[in-house]
Amino acid sequence: MWTYMIRRILYAIPILIGVNTLTFLLFFIVNSPDDMARMHLGSKHVTQAEIMAWKKAEGYDKPLFYNSDKTGFVKFTDTLYATKSLKLFTFQFGISDSGRDISNDIYQRMWPSLAIAIPSLIVGLFFDITVAMLLAFFRGTYLDFTGVSICVILMSISSLFYIMGGQFIIAKLLRLVPISGYEPGIGAIKFLILPVLIGIVSGVGSGARWYRTIFLEEINKDYVRTARAKGLSEQKVFFTHILKNAMLPILTGIVAVLPLLFMGSLILESFFGIPGLGSYTIDAIRMQDFDIVRVMVFLGTVLYILGLVLTDISYVLVDPRVRLK
Amino acid sequence: MSFLVLGMIGCDQVWNNPHESDNLDEKVGYSSFSEPPKTLDPAKSYSADEIRFTAQIYEPLLQYDYLKRPYTLEPLTAAALPKIEYLNEKGEVLPENAAGNQVAFSRYDITIKPNIYYYPHPAFAKKQGGEFNYHQMNEVELEEIDELNDFAITSTRELMAEDYIYEIKRLADPRVSSPIYGVMSQYIVGMSEFHDEILDLMKKNLTIDLRKHEISGLKSDDPHHLIITLKGKYPQFGYWLAMIFFSPVPWEVDQFYSQRGLGEHNLTLGWFPVGTGPYYLAENNPNHRMVLKENPFYQRDYYPVVSDDPNDTKKGYLQNAGKKLPLVRKFIFSLEKESIPRWNKFLQGYYDSSSISSDSFDQAIRIDENGVPDLTPELKDHGIRLETVVSPSIFYMGFNMLDPVVGGNSEKNKKLRQAIAAVIDFNEYIAIFNNGRGLAAQGPIPPGIFGYVNDKNPLTQVSLEQAKQLLSEAGYPNGRDEHSGQPLLLNYDAPSSSGPDDKARFDWMRKQFAKLNIELNIRSTEYNRFQENMRTGAEQIFMWGWNADYPDPENFLFLLYGPNGKVKYGGENAANYSNSEFDQLFERMKNMQNSDERAAIIQKMINIVRDDAPWLFGVFPKDYVLDHQWMSPVKMNVIANNTLKFVDLDAPLRAKLISRWNRPRIWPIMVMISLLLIFLIPVIISYIRRENTAIKKVK
């Protein structure tokens, strides 16, 4: 397994370089360093000399990939790409164009994101599995048909609708929780109830339907028939046998998204005023802050690859038939 | 669960209070911001999102009189308005009314009030021997620092003239990249030389201490005396002295923040400003909230006692006359990116004031039969007040005067522009896209600024038939080229906002041109490309805006001054308009004090621009602000930014009303839980039945 993991990590390096280069190219196709300077200096009274001074101060006065003014290998190292993007591989995130320490900002902002993401995932998973098992238990009945129909309806509704509807009904009409906001520590609970509830409800349609399919697949297997033939109660069959075996695809699916949880949710955090990481990248793109964009894309890639590796490992852990070579 | 629910029902408290403190009867102001500030460094900060904070913290030498209109400068930290002397090349003093071309230098003599102190900050803390506590911290000491509160000792010191000089040096420091260096270096004597000197030191990688290098136009012979020497005559410089760029920055603070290691905790001058103003920034989390607290050393300011306008008393603007400022000890600003939650929280009483977004306009305002805006009954029931004011801005439609079809000074092209100006109905535009919040501009200068004219632009009085006639005279009868017979196709360059309004806006614009049978091609691009097109002169027709830096007609008319052309000179004249008569009048007008003579010149200039029609004057936007009844009446001052100190509120009334408006409603939840239980009963029964069903014998 260790050889496999080392191989996967080595595979990740060209992927990271590729994503990094692509981000760099896309960003600078849309925004030139001059545009970035104008964005930061404001559009009024700004002269070309001031733009040049800003670019020099922020290190954007270098050529993108090849510095013909230099000699030898420095032609490649004294470039924007080398100075800005390659440093990331040493996890030196540096300072954003607005002068803030990026590592510090990420550290501060990941906790509120996790505060929504973790309860949404755990409670949502429990709720989805419960509904899915209920539908699977009553398979082929009106309850199953109605449940699946409701799931399809829930899946078809935009998450924005859930957010606005939830805020309107729960926070505005019933006045049970704040419409938006955040507080660190225990005080966060009252602000998290609604976004977590909305996260769960908006995900139950797809989650319950998927898990129902997994349960139905298991229900028709031989070992379940054997269990029933032994005279086990339906309760025992479901909870001891079907649930255990169905958890394999469910858990591996969840492990893949675990590392990405801390990247936050853009819409949910924006509407609920949660100071998380969800909008960090989008805000940076809007403010043309390349330093933040490159870090967040790099981090996203690393976490995605980590998620895939963890999925592979989780297969080995939960299914003794799987071996990584 | 039942106990919890019963407990909740019995509880009289509100549950939806979004503020950390439950004591809404404390005198704390609650407000929101939609864009996190990028920096609060006074040498760099330029946007409104930032100035709303910096203007409460920093104090420039001058400020605008809170109540007086038209906007008038008054001393803030200065003891009096600057004494201005005009000098010729030989250094001889000229009379006050000397013509601009005779004046070689202007000398601004400013005395600063004594006993003004900065808010307590670790940068000022000194040991007994006079050595600073925190100016040379080692790595071990820095490791223990996460926030400013981690510094055990703070201190203060008196404001000195040198602090203003230090900030002006920062404006010229290439490492700071101040956006106003370009403008100021044209005026302040020795500023560009200082810039070059610092640049030279940077190239040599030498340590730079700004105190050791001088700008020849800045002198301070006394801790409270400052002399600024400008090149030529520049009467608008007084307005600059009221801007945050000209705030004092103590060298101690700059040196303190320049220590490596503090930046890693975001402890920088850009994020933790140090000023002498009524408030200091107690909490700075631009992604969550910003907290301003009263500066304990702010002792000298009082609410104005008299006003020239008798309506001010009637409207209650003088109800706090003579009281010590600031009136509210703390303000909490929360980040609200989305307009709907912000609006709903305002309605619940959790924000004291609010602007009105397009989404909420119909909920807030109804326009009566006379076109006068009024509050809806729901808002009136809440005792909310509406304040409106025309902002010192203009959104205009411009023609690129370098373009061969619509630009130039030829009579034909001028008639084409005039024909277009006659048919575009900006009143309709305001009604459709601005919810009526604006005035159709008749000239380039907005109301409230000297030189504003409210007579109708003759071109807007031209009928459609006359406009068609103008178009025909321009060589396009019925919208077709008189020679080729081809339809006239014009290009409209616009930045795309990616919003839903874009398409409607562009369709409306097409319809306006279609009145003359002119085809309009929309070239919508993202803002960077749009700006690039403007810089290179690739645009044909465009719409752009300008927000006043200061309340002087020069700040609007310079947008049409020839030597300020965007393509040729990189200036702000985006239409690249050039008319020698207009330019000569501008040069005369810009150095004059407000007078009948100046007004007459401005009227002439406006007439020239109306006739040449390089602009369709577009819209003067109107700001609408809603205040809850517990807020003191606030006179809107769209030029001054340091007005938070004049705001007062009745916190007990707020707490009472919020409690009344926000009682939780439990019964729908109880009904839902009951329904769920009712639904579960047959499910449970069905489950039990299935469990107990015996296998049927198959016959």
Side-chain angles (χ1 to χ4, degrees), chain A residues 110-136:
Chain A
M110 66 184 224
W111 300 111
S113 287
L114 286 174
I116 296 188
I118 291 176
S120 299
L121 180 81
I122 295 171
V123 183
L125 184 67
F126 175 77
F127 193 62
D128 292 355
I129 290 175
T130 309
V131 174
M133 283 181 75
L134 190 74
L135 297 180

PDB file of all heavy atoms in Angstrom, chain A residues 110-136:
ATOM      1  N   MET A 110     -11.193  29.129   7.773  1.00  0.00           N
ATOM      2  CA  MET A 110     -11.603  27.735   7.566  1.00  0.00           C
ATOM      3  C   MET A 110     -12.519  27.223   8.692  1.00  0.00           C
ATOM      4  O   MET A 110     -13.355  26.364   8.463  1.00  0.00           O
ATOM      5  CB  MET A 110     -10.394  26.821   7.420  1.00  0.00           C
ATOM      6  CG  MET A 110      -9.565  26.690   8.647  1.00  0.00           C
ATOM      7  SD  MET A 110      -8.137  25.670   8.269  1.00  0.00           S
ATOM      8  CE  MET A 110      -8.118  24.624   9.686  1.00  0.00           C
ATOM      9  N   TRP A 111     -12.390  27.825   9.896  1.00  0.00           N
ATOM     10  CA  TRP A 111     -13.202  27.320  11.014  1.00  0.00           C
ATOM     11  C   TRP A 111     -14.686  27.574  10.819  1.00  0.00           C
ATOM     12  O   TRP A 111     -15.498  26.657  10.995  1.00  0.00           O
ATOM     13  CB  TRP A 111     -12.694  27.900  12.350  1.00  0.00           C
ATOM     14  CG  TRP A 111     -11.266  27.528  12.594  1.00  0.00           C
ATOM     15  CD1 TRP A 111     -10.197  28.360  12.594  1.00  0.00           C
ATOM     16  CD2 TRP A 111     -10.744  26.207  12.789  1.00  0.00           C
ATOM     17  NE1 TRP A 111      -9.034  27.659  12.791  1.00  0.00           N
ATOM     18  CE2 TRP A 111      -9.344  26.329  12.926  1.00  0.00           C
ATOM     19  CE3 TRP A 111     -11.311  24.941  12.860  1.00  0.00           C
ATOM     20  CZ2 TRP A 111      -8.500  25.235  13.128  1.00  0.00           C
ATOM     21  CZ3 TRP A 111     -10.475  23.861  13.068  1.00  0.00           C
ATOM     22  CH2 TRP A 111      -9.106  24.012  13.204  1.00  0.00           C
ATOM     23  N   PRO A 112     -15.084  28.801  10.443  1.00  0.00           N
ATOM     24  CA  PRO A 112     -16.516  28.996  10.180  1.00  0.00           C
ATOM     25  C   PRO A 112     -17.035  28.084   9.056  1.00  0.00           C
ATOM     26  O   PRO A 112     -18.169  27.593   9.122  1.00  0.00           O
ATOM     27  CB  PRO A 112     -16.615  30.467   9.781  1.00  0.00           C
ATOM     28  CG  PRO A 112     -15.426  31.107  10.380  1.00  0.00           C
ATOM     29  CD  PRO A 112     -14.347  30.078  10.376  1.00  0.00           C
ATOM     30  N   SER A 113     -16.191  27.859   8.034  1.00  0.00           N
ATOM     31  CA  SER A 113     -16.621  26.968   6.941  1.00  0.00           C
ATOM     32  C   SER A 113     -16.853  25.564   7.478  1.00  0.00           C
ATOM     33  O   SER A 113     -17.851  24.915   7.152  1.00  0.00           O
ATOM     34  CB  SER A 113     -15.556  26.906   5.843  1.00  0.00           C
ATOM     35  OG  SER A 113     -15.544  28.100   5.129  1.00  0.00           O
ATOM     36  N   LEU A 114     -15.925  25.102   8.315  1.00  0.00           N
ATOM     37  CA  LEU A 114     -16.064  23.759   8.883  1.00  0.00           C
ATOM     38  C   LEU A 114     -17.267  23.692   9.817  1.00  0.00           C
ATOM     39  O   LEU A 114     -17.933  22.650   9.919  1.00  0.00           O
ATOM     40  CB  LEU A 114     -14.793  23.380   9.646  1.00  0.00           C
ATOM     41  CG  LEU A 114     -13.585  23.043   8.771  1.00  0.00           C
ATOM     42  CD1 LEU A 114     -12.351  22.841   9.632  1.00  0.00           C
ATOM     43  CD2 LEU A 114     -13.830  21.790   7.943  1.00  0.00           C
ATOM     44  N   ALA A 115     -17.538  24.803  10.497  1.00  0.00           N
ATOM     45  CA  ALA A 115     -18.666  24.818  11.437  1.00  0.00           C
ATOM     46  C   ALA A 115     -19.994  24.560  10.728  1.00  0.00           C
ATOM     47  O   ALA A 115     -20.937  24.041  11.331  1.00  0.00           O
ATOM     48  CB  ALA A 115     -18.716  26.159  12.165  1.00  0.00           C
ATOM     49  N   ILE A 116     -20.086  24.917   9.459  1.00  0.00           N
ATOM     50  CA  ILE A 116     -21.303  24.597   8.696  1.00  0.00           C
ATOM     51  C   ILE A 116     -21.160  23.219   8.073  1.00  0.00           C
ATOM     52  O   ILE A 116     -22.077  22.395   8.106  1.00  0.00           O
ATOM     53  CB  ILE A 116     -21.542  25.592   7.540  1.00  0.00           C
ATOM     54  CG1 ILE A 116     -21.785  26.985   8.050  1.00  0.00           C
ATOM     55  CG2 ILE A 116     -22.719  25.149   6.694  1.00  0.00           C
ATOM     56  CD1 ILE A 116     -22.224  27.943   6.960  1.00  0.00           C
ATOM     57  N   ALA A 117     -19.980  22.970   7.484  1.00  0.00           N
ATOM     58  CA  ALA A 117     -19.822  21.779   6.648  1.00  0.00           C
ATOM     59  C   ALA A 117     -19.907  20.479   7.456  1.00  0.00           C
ATOM     60  O   ALA A 117     -20.577  19.524   7.020  1.00  0.00           O
ATOM     61  CB  ALA A 117     -18.497  21.854   5.905  1.00  0.00           C
ATOM     62  N   ILE A 118     -19.291  20.443   8.617  1.00  0.00           N
ATOM     63  CA  ILE A 118     -19.246  19.168   9.367  1.00  0.00           C
ATOM     64  C   ILE A 118     -20.639  18.768   9.881  1.00  0.00           C
ATOM     65  O   ILE A 118     -21.092  17.657   9.605  1.00  0.00           O
ATOM     66  CB  ILE A 118     -18.182  19.232  10.486  1.00  0.00           C
ATOM     67  CG1 ILE A 118     -16.806  19.257   9.818  1.00  0.00           C
ATOM     68  CG2 ILE A 118     -18.299  18.041  11.429  1.00  0.00           C
ATOM     69  CD1 ILE A 118     -15.652  19.421  10.760  1.00  0.00           C
ATOM     70  N   PRO A 119     -21.359  19.668  10.604  1.00  0.00           N
ATOM     71  CA  PRO A 119     -22.710  19.246  11.020  1.00  0.00           C
ATOM     72  C   PRO A 119     -23.625  18.949   9.837  1.00  0.00           C
ATOM     73  O   PRO A 119     -24.433  18.017   9.906  1.00  0.00           O
ATOM     74  CB  PRO A 119     -23.237  20.404  11.851  1.00  0.00           C
ATOM     75  CG  PRO A 119     -22.253  21.481  11.767  1.00  0.00           C
ATOM     76  CD  PRO A 119     -21.008  20.974  11.151  1.00  0.00           C
ATOM     77  N   SER A 120     -23.483  19.724   8.749  1.00  0.00           N
ATOM     78  CA  SER A 120     -24.333  19.460   7.571  1.00  0.00           C
ATOM     79  C   SER A 120     -24.060  18.058   7.053  1.00  0.00           C
ATOM     80  O   SER A 120     -24.989  17.325   6.686  1.00  0.00           O
ATOM     81  CB  SER A 120     -24.054  20.453   6.447  1.00  0.00           C
ATOM     82  OG  SER A 120     -24.329  21.738   6.862  1.00  0.00           O
ATOM     83  N   LEU A 121     -22.795  17.677   7.039  1.00  0.00           N
ATOM     84  CA  LEU A 121     -22.425  16.363   6.501  1.00  0.00           C
ATOM     85  C   LEU A 121     -22.929  15.243   7.418  1.00  0.00           C
ATOM     86  O   LEU A 121     -23.591  14.303   6.951  1.00  0.00           O
ATOM     87  CB  LEU A 121     -20.904  16.271   6.347  1.00  0.00           C
ATOM     88  CG  LEU A 121     -20.423  14.947   5.785  1.00  0.00           C
ATOM     89  CD1 LEU A 121     -20.562  14.923   4.281  1.00  0.00           C
ATOM     90  CD2 LEU A 121     -18.983  14.679   6.182  1.00  0.00           C
ATOM     91  N   ILE A 122     -22.649  15.376   8.712  1.00  0.00           N
ATOM     92  CA  ILE A 122     -22.983  14.280   9.633  1.00  0.00           C
ATOM     93  C   ILE A 122     -24.497  14.132   9.785  1.00  0.00           C
ATOM     94  O   ILE A 122     -25.058  13.051   9.582  1.00  0.00           O
ATOM     95  CB  ILE A 122     -22.302  14.517  11.009  1.00  0.00           C
ATOM     96  CG1 ILE A 122     -20.781  14.450  10.838  1.00  0.00           C
ATOM     97  CG2 ILE A 122     -22.775  13.497  12.035  1.00  0.00           C
ATOM     98  CD1 ILE A 122     -19.991  14.872  12.041  1.00  0.00           C
ATOM     99  N   VAL A 123     -25.161  15.247  10.123  1.00  0.00           N
ATOM    100  CA  VAL A 123     -26.617  15.164  10.319  1.00  0.00           C
ATOM    101  C   VAL A 123     -27.292  14.828   8.991  1.00  0.00           C
ATOM    102  O   VAL A 123     -28.233  14.027   8.950  1.00  0.00           O
ATOM    103  CB  VAL A 123     -27.180  16.484  10.906  1.00  0.00           C
ATOM    104  CG1 VAL A 123     -28.665  16.371  11.175  1.00  0.00           C
ATOM    105  CG2 VAL A 123     -26.430  16.847  12.166  1.00  0.00           C
ATOM    106  N   GLY A 124     -26.789  15.428   7.912  1.00  0.00           N
ATOM    107  CA  GLY A 124     -27.363  15.153   6.586  1.00  0.00           C
ATOM    108  C   GLY A 124     -27.234  13.681   6.231  1.00  0.00           C
ATOM    109  O   GLY A 124     -28.176  13.075   5.716  1.00  0.00           O
ATOM    110  N   LEU A 125     -26.088  13.107   6.517  1.00  0.00           N
ATOM    111  CA  LEU A 125     -25.856  11.692   6.209  1.00  0.00           C
ATOM    112  C   LEU A 125     -26.825  10.807   6.993  1.00  0.00           C
ATOM    113  O   LEU A 125     -27.462   9.905   6.435  1.00  0.00           O
ATOM    114  CB  LEU A 125     -24.406  11.341   6.571  1.00  0.00           C
ATOM    115  CG  LEU A 125     -23.946   9.940   6.225  1.00  0.00           C
ATOM    116  CD1 LEU A 125     -23.883   9.763   4.722  1.00  0.00           C
ATOM    117  CD2 LEU A 125     -22.568   9.660   6.833  1.00  0.00           C
ATOM    118  N   PHE A 126     -26.946  11.120   8.266  1.00  0.00           N
ATOM    119  CA  PHE A 126     -27.860  10.349   9.121  1.00  0.00           C
ATOM    120  C   PHE A 126     -29.296  10.452   8.590  1.00  0.00           C
ATOM    121  O   PHE A 126     -30.005   9.461   8.464  1.00  0.00           O
ATOM    122  CB  PHE A 126     -27.765  10.892  10.556  1.00  0.00           C
ATOM    123  CG  PHE A 126     -28.743  10.272  11.497  1.00  0.00           C
ATOM    124  CD1 PHE A 126     -28.522   8.995  12.008  1.00  0.00           C
ATOM    125  CD2 PHE A 126     -29.907  10.944  11.867  1.00  0.00           C
ATOM    126  CE1 PHE A 126     -29.441   8.412  12.869  1.00  0.00           C
ATOM    127  CE2 PHE A 126     -30.827  10.364  12.716  1.00  0.00           C
ATOM    128  CZ  PHE A 126     -30.587   9.091  13.221  1.00  0.00           C
ATOM    129  N   PHE A 127     -29.698  11.645   8.259  1.00  0.00           N
ATOM    130  CA  PHE A 127     -31.063  11.888   7.785  1.00  0.00           C
ATOM    131  C   PHE A 127     -31.305  11.200   6.437  1.00  0.00           C
ATOM    132  O   PHE A 127     -32.324  10.534   6.233  1.00  0.00           O
ATOM    133  CB  PHE A 127     -31.253  13.401   7.667  1.00  0.00           C
ATOM    134  CG  PHE A 127     -32.677  13.820   7.496  1.00  0.00           C
ATOM    135  CD1 PHE A 127     -33.626  13.557   8.473  1.00  0.00           C
ATOM    136  CD2 PHE A 127     -33.081  14.485   6.346  1.00  0.00           C
ATOM    137  CE1 PHE A 127     -34.945  13.944   8.307  1.00  0.00           C
ATOM    138  CE2 PHE A 127     -34.398  14.867   6.176  1.00  0.00           C
ATOM    139  CZ  PHE A 127     -35.331  14.607   7.155  1.00  0.00           C
ATOM    140  N   ASP A 128     -30.338  11.342   5.529  1.00  0.00           N
ATOM    141  CA  ASP A 128     -30.475  10.736   4.190  1.00  0.00           C
ATOM    142  C   ASP A 128     -30.588   9.213   4.308  1.00  0.00           C
ATOM    143  O   ASP A 128     -31.418   8.589   3.645  1.00  0.00           O
ATOM    144  CB  ASP A 128     -29.256  11.076   3.318  1.00  0.00           C
ATOM    145  CG  ASP A 128     -29.197  12.544   2.955  1.00  0.00           C
ATOM    146  OD1 ASP A 128     -30.150  13.261   3.302  1.00  0.00           O
ATOM    147  OD2 ASP A 128     -28.207  12.978   2.355  1.00  0.00           O
ATOM    148  N   ILE A 129     -29.738   8.619   5.168  1.00  0.00           N
ATOM    149  CA  ILE A 129     -29.742   7.159   5.313  1.00  0.00           C
ATOM    150  C   ILE A 129     -31.069   6.702   5.926  1.00  0.00           C
ATOM    151  O   ILE A 129     -31.672   5.712   5.486  1.00  0.00           O
ATOM    152  CB  ILE A 129     -28.535   6.702   6.160  1.00  0.00           C
ATOM    153  CG1 ILE A 129     -27.247   6.903   5.350  1.00  0.00           C
ATOM    154  CG2 ILE A 129     -28.672   5.253   6.594  1.00  0.00           C
ATOM    155  CD1 ILE A 129     -25.971   6.620   6.097  1.00  0.00           C
ATOM    156  N   THR A 130     -31.538   7.479   6.912  1.00  0.00           N
ATOM    157  CA  THR A 130     -32.815   7.114   7.555  1.00  0.00           C
ATOM    158  C   THR A 130     -33.948   7.116   6.531  1.00  0.00           C
ATOM    159  O   THR A 130     -34.730   6.149   6.437  1.00  0.00           O
ATOM    160  CB  THR A 130     -33.124   8.126   8.687  1.00  0.00           C
ATOM    161  OG1 THR A 130     -31.983   8.226   9.504  1.00  0.00           O
ATOM    162  CG2 THR A 130     -34.323   7.702   9.505  1.00  0.00           C
ATOM    163  N   VAL A 131     -34.027   8.195   5.758  1.00  0.00           N
ATOM    164  CA  VAL A 131     -35.103   8.286   4.753  1.00  0.00           C
ATOM    165  C   VAL A 131     -34.940   7.172   3.714  1.00  0.00           C
ATOM    166  O   VAL A 131     -35.910   6.506   3.338  1.00  0.00           O
ATOM    167  CB  VAL A 131     -35.100   9.682   4.080  1.00  0.00           C
ATOM    168  CG1 VAL A 131     -36.099   9.747   2.937  1.00  0.00           C
ATOM    169  CG2 VAL A 131     -35.398  10.766   5.092  1.00  0.00           C
ATOM    170  N   ALA A 132     -33.696   6.968   3.281  1.00  0.00           N
ATOM    171  CA  ALA A 132     -33.444   5.958   2.249  1.00  0.00           C
ATOM    172  C   ALA A 132     -33.839   4.559   2.752  1.00  0.00           C
ATOM    173  O   ALA A 132     -34.451   3.768   2.019  1.00  0.00           O
ATOM    174  CB  ALA A 132     -31.981   5.973   1.849  1.00  0.00           C
ATOM    175  N   MET A 133     -33.529   4.271   4.011  1.00  0.00           N
ATOM    176  CA  MET A 133     -33.872   2.954   4.564  1.00  0.00           C
ATOM    177  C   MET A 133     -35.384   2.799   4.688  1.00  0.00           C
ATOM    178  O   MET A 133     -35.946   1.728   4.428  1.00  0.00           O
ATOM    179  CB  MET A 133     -33.204   2.761   5.927  1.00  0.00           C
ATOM    180  CG  MET A 133     -31.721   2.433   5.796  1.00  0.00           C
ATOM    181  SD  MET A 133     -30.926   2.188   7.363  1.00  0.00           S
ATOM    182  CE  MET A 133     -31.516   0.582   7.809  1.00  0.00           C
ATOM    183  N   LEU A 134     -36.029   3.894   5.077  1.00  0.00           N
ATOM    184  CA  LEU A 134     -37.498   3.859   5.187  1.00  0.00           C
ATOM    185  C   LEU A 134     -38.123   3.555   3.829  1.00  0.00           C
ATOM    186  O   LEU A 134     -39.012   2.705   3.698  1.00  0.00           O
ATOM    187  CB  LEU A 134     -37.986   5.212   5.720  1.00  0.00           C
ATOM    188  CG  LEU A 134     -39.437   5.294   6.130  1.00  0.00           C
ATOM    189  CD1 LEU A 134     -39.649   4.564   7.453  1.00  0.00           C
ATOM    190  CD2 LEU A 134     -39.882   6.747   6.276  1.00  0.00           C
ATOM    191  N   LEU A 135     -37.625   4.248   2.791  1.00  0.00           N
ATOM    192  CA  LEU A 135     -38.161   4.029   1.440  1.00  0.00           C
ATOM    193  C   LEU A 135     -37.847   2.610   0.957  1.00  0.00           C
ATOM    194  O   LEU A 135     -38.691   1.953   0.323  1.00  0.00           O
ATOM    195  CB  LEU A 135     -37.581   5.056   0.463  1.00  0.00           C
ATOM    196  CG  LEU A 135     -37.918   6.528   0.746  1.00  0.00           C
ATOM    197  CD1 LEU A 135     -37.282   7.430  -0.293  1.00  0.00           C
ATOM    198  CD2 LEU A 135     -39.428   6.748   0.772  1.00  0.00           C
ATOM    199  N   ALA A 136     -36.649   2.156   1.280  1.00  0.00           N
ATOM    200  CA  ALA A 136     -36.266   0.802   0.846  1.00  0.00           C
ATOM    201  C   ALA A 136     -37.100  -0.254   1.580  1.00  0.00           C
ATOM    202  O   ALA A 136     -37.488  -1.276   1.000  1.00  0.00           O
ATOM    203  CB  ALA A 136     -34.782   0.585   1.108  1.00  0.00           C
TER     204      ALA A 136
END
